[in-house]
Amino acid sequence: MEEKKNVKYHSADECPITATIDVIGGKWKPPIIWLLLRGPMRFGELHKTIPAMALKVLSRTLKELESDGIILRKAYPEIPPRVEYSLSQKGESLRQIMTLMSEWSRANIMDEALNPGPL
Amino acid sequence: MEEKKNVKYHSADECPITATIDVIGGKWKPPIIWLLLRGPMRFGELHKTIPAMALKVLSRTLKELESDGIILRKAYPEIPPRVEYSLSQKGESLRQIMTLMSEWSRANIMDEALNPGPL
DNA sequence: CGGCATCCTAGTAGATACTG
DNA sequence: CAGTATCTACTAGGATGCCG
C-alpha cells in the first residue's frame, strides 16, 4: 500500500508536474519546442516563424532551453555567422507529452465556442 | 502533404501547447489537479495538504480551474459550510498528460544531480 | 468553515538601438 | 546573421484583514 494520501506540498516545486512545466512552460517555450520537434532551425528562421516574439526574448528563451538541456546550439564559425538549434535527446523525449497536449487543446479548448457545455 | 513548414505564430496563443499550459500551468494548478486526480477534496483539506499556498491564492486558483471547466465545486448548505472540489470529465481527461509529465520529471529533472550528462 | 477585497511585490515579457 | 544592453510594463503570486 502506498501512502499517497499523506502527500504534503510545502513548496510548489515538490510537485513533479510543476517541475516539468517550469521547463517547458512560459509564454514562448512551447512554440519553440513544438517547431524544433519538426527539425533543426536557425535563429533567423525561428525569428521569422514567430514574428510576434521580440529578438531579445527569443535569444533569452533559447538560452534557457539550452541550459535546461532541452535544445542544442551549434554555431558555425563562418561569415556571416550561422547558428542552428535542435532538440537534444531530452527534448525529443517530450514529443509524446507535447503531442498529447496539442490534441487535448484541440479537443477541449478550440472547440469550446462550439460546445457551450451542459447547462 | 501537409504544409506544416509554413506555420507562423503571430501571437503566443496560436500554439496549441501554450493553450493547454495556460489552463493547467501556473505555480499551483498542477499540484491541485494532481491531488484531485486521486479523488474529491474539501477546501480545508487542500489547504492542509498545500500549506505553502496562501488561502487567497488557493481560492483564486480554484475559481480559475472551475471557470475553465477543469474542476467542479459542490457546496453543501450546512452549518458549518462544507465545499467539495472534484475533477470534471474534462479534468479527468488530463490524467494521461499529467502522469507522463510526472514520469518525465522523475526521469529528467530529479535525477539530474546523479547524471551530470555527457561531458 | 470557506471564502472575498485590498494592496503590494517580484519575476517575465517586450521595444528599441547597438555590436561581433 | 545572430545576437546583447538597457529600460519599461504587465500580470501572476502573496500577505493581511473582514464577511456569510
Side-chain angles (χ1 to χ4, degrees), chain B residues 90-103:
Chain B
K90 192 164 159 185
E92 263 296 331
S93 72
L94 288 164
R95 183 180 295 275
Q96 187 185 7
I97 292 174
M98 303 294 279
T99 303
L100 281 172
M101 288 205 289
S102 172
E103 288 166 0

Side-chain angles (χ1 to χ4, degrees), chain B residues 58-108:
Chain B
L58 176 56
S59 81
R60 183 208 293 142
T61 307
L62 288 170
K63 264 198 294 188
E64 283 177 33
L65 287 170
E66 190 193 1
S67 85
D68 281 336
I70 303 298
I71 66 175
L72 302 173
R73 188 191 119 106
K74 166 122 185 149
Y76 297 85
E78 309 168 351
I79 303 290
R82 181 160 63 100
V83 180
E84 217 167 58
Y85 292 92
S86 61
L87 288 181
S88 66
Q89 197 70 37
K90 192 164 159 185
E92 263 296 331
S93 72
L94 288 164
R95 183 180 295 275
Q96 187 185 7
I97 292 174
M98 303 294 279
T99 303
L100 281 172
M101 288 205 289
S102 172
E103 288 166 0
W104 190 89
S105 93
R106 288 185 201 287
N108 294 282

Side-chain angles (χ1 to χ4, degrees), chain A residues 42 44 56 59 73 81 83 85:
Chain A
R42 297 177 55 170
K56 157 81 187 214
S59 80
R73 186 190 121 105
V83 180
Y85 291 92

Side-chain angles (χ1 to χ4, degrees), chain B:
Chain B
M1 298 290 193
E2 305 178 42
E3 43 179 325
K4 321 165 134 193
K5 291 298 179 191
N6 297 325
V7 174
K8 272 205 185 186
Y9 292 109
H10 295 281
S11 90
D13 40 54
E14 290 167 27
C15 174
I17 317 293
T18 299
T20 297
I21 292 190
D22 278 349
V23 175
I24 66 171
K27 188 164 181 180
W28 296 109
K29 286 179 184 177
I32 291 177
I33 299 174
W34 195 228
L35 286 169
L36 291 181
L37 277 169
R38 309 197 312 223
M41 288 180 83
R42 296 178 55 171
F43 184 88
E45 221 175 338
L46 284 165
H47 176 49
K48 271 176 291 182
T49 307
I50 318 180
M53 194 181 190
L55 284 177
K56 158 77 189 216
V57 179
L58 176 56
S59 81
R60 183 208 293 142
T61 307
L62 288 170
K63 264 198 294 188
E64 283 177 33
L65 287 170
E66 190 193 1
S67 85
D68 281 336
I70 303 298
I71 66 175
L72 302 173
R73 188 191 119 106
K74 166 122 185 149
Y76 297 85
E78 309 168 351
I79 303 290
R82 181 160 63 100
V83 180
E84 217 167 58
Y85 292 92
S86 61
L87 288 181
S88 66
Q89 197 70 37
K90 192 164 159 185
E92 263 296 331
S93 72
L94 288 164
R95 183 180 295 275
Q96 187 185 7
I97 292 174
M98 303 294 279
T99 303
L100 281 172
M101 288 205 289
S102 172
E103 288 166 0
W104 190 89
S105 93
R106 288 185 201 287
N108 294 282
I109 301 178
M110 332 254 294
D111 290 351
E112 210 147 71
L114 309 174
N115 308 321
L119 305 178

